Amino acid sequence: MTLSDLLTRLGPLLKAECAAEASAAGIDAADLEQSVWLRLLSDRRADGAAARLRAAVRAEARAARRRALREVPYDPTADPPAGAGPGVEQSVLAAEARRELRAAVRRLPGRCPTLLGALLSAGDPTYQEIAGKLGMSQGSVGPVRSRCLGCLRRMLMAEIAAP
């Protein structure tokens, strides 16, 4: 039996079988039909072709149902699953932003780099601890911090404005 004869003789039967099984498998009938044709054409024996066709349709439908249980469609707008931390891309971008901020703080004049560096430290020190460490009065930490942040803001705005 030639390939053309096989296609002509089994085409309508395959289309009908796939239409019947596809909805139960949760897949498109054309996708199921294509999978079955691949399976049938890899083994082109003429004997019992119709019976093999029905078995192939059911086998492909079962395989599609199993895949559907394991596969989850990708939705880029969906929120990440609960308990999942930030993705790798977000972690890398956050680390890059922290490096850029620290580099900008180091370029500040006077005692601003040491003061803002102390404020950005992981230990989250109080104004009293920062004042003791830097040898300044506790009451001057806030105003100096404000001036340093203003200077940092102006410096970063100038960098953003001038590409």
Side-chain angles (χ1 to χ4, degrees), residues 94-106:
E96 180 63 25
R98 285 191 301 273
R99 277 192 297 274
E100 288 177 7
L101 176 63
R102 292 198 181 272
V105 166
R106 283 192 300 272

Side-chain angles (χ1 to χ4, degrees), residues 41-145:
L41 293 176
S42 66
D43 179 26
R44 293 196 328 200
R45 289 176 289 156
D47 56 322
R52 283 188 299 116
L53 181 130
R54 287 186 185 99
V57 168
R58 283 167 183 73
E60 285 298 323
R62 280 192 307 274
R65 278 192 293 274
R66 282 192 306 272
R67 277 192 309 273
L69 292 174
R70 291 188 311 264
E71 294 175 352
V72 178
Y74 175 68
D75 183 7
T77 61
D79 292 331
V88 175
E89 184 177 358
Q90 288 83 12
S91 299
V92 169
L93 290 174
E96 180 63 25
R98 285 191 301 273
R99 277 192 297 274
E100 288 177 7
L101 176 63
R102 292 198 181 272
V105 166
R106 283 192 300 272
R107 293 192 310 265
L108 289 170
R111 58 183 173 180
C112 288
T114 55
L115 176 64
L116 291 181
L119 288 168
L120 290 171
S121 69
D124 196 26
T126 63
Y127 274 20
Q128 184 178 13
E129 294 168 340
I130 292 171
K133 181 179 170 186
L134 299 178
M136 57 193 301
S137 71
Q138 181 179 346
S140 64
V141 171
V144 172
R145 175 195 64 92

